[in-house]
Amino acid sequence: MPDTPHQHDDLDVHHLINLLAMLPGPDDVPFWNTVDRNGQGSDQEETQLTGDGYLIGKMEVGIRGLLNPQHSDIAYFCEYLLKFFDGERPLLWQHLSHRVAGSGFTDQAGERWAHDLCDTAWRLTVRYSPHGQRTLAENWPNAANLR
């Protein structure tokens, strides 16, 4: 496997941690329910996360791995971050704007945050994917045999 930076020394990992630190914790149920619904609000008062807590569970496991990188699967967590925050989601961006930037920034802050998070998550997914070299050799067997 090619040399890759250790996660605890990786500037992208530190950047991801700083981005995630801008979000509220799991006790902000209305925030996470809105994220779960891609930015769409609810008319009902919510006291617990909709569904089975899938989103919160994935976030907690991934954040635990970021804070304790010896037991982390950063690529796996980043794939989930991409599922939760990637794509054209104007309602989610609007929701994020109020939480990650506060009132001193433009309404585009949520969109910038989501794009920054997803760009960082994509780089980390590619960097730490455990299958890269093996898959490349399988896809290009003639090149792999020329060593």
Side-chain angles (χ1 to χ4, degrees), residues 15 20 39 59 110 126 136 144:
H15 186 67
L20 292 172
M59 292 295 293
V126 172
L136 183 61

Side-chain angles (χ1 to χ4, degrees), residues 8-85:
H8 63 278
D9 295 329
D10 191 316
L11 294 178
D12 280 330
V13 170
H14 291 284
H15 186 67
L16 183 65
I17 288 169
N18 289 335
L19 287 166
L20 292 172
M22 299 171 85
L23 297 176
D27 56 330
D28 189 338
V29 175
F31 174 83
W32 289 106
N33 278 331
T34 304
V35 170
D36 197 34
R37 290 188 302 269
N38 290 315
Q40 296 179 356
S42 172
D43 295 334
Q44 304 171 355
E45 186 175 325
E46 299 165 298
T47 57
Q48 59 183 349
L49 191 66
T50 56
D52 59 1
Y54 175 80
L55 186 145
I56 290 293
K58 292 297 182 188
M59 292 295 293
E60 285 180 337
V61 168
I63 290 168
R64 187 178 311 123
L66 286 175
L67 299 176
N68 185 10
Q70 299 89 313
H71 304 291
S72 173
D73 188 344
I74 188 86
Y76 183 75
F77 178 48
C78 287
E79 288 174 23
Y80 278 98
L81 290 174
L82 291 168
K83 289 177 187 176
F84 298 148
F85 295 103

Side-chain angles (χ1 to χ4, degrees), residues 102-121:
S103 60
F105 291 87
T106 67
D107 287 340
Q108 286 77 35
E111 181 178 1
R112 288 176 191 253
W113 181 93
H115 287 306
D116 193 4
L117 177 93
C118 292
D119 290 346
T120 304

Side-chain angles (χ1 to χ4, degrees), residues 85-102:
F85 295 103
D86 201 15
E88 295 295 316
R89 301 180 185 188
L91 291 174
L92 179 61
W93 298 337
Q94 183 180 12
H95 181 64
L96 289 167
S97 288
H98 300 291
R99 290 305 297 202
V100 301

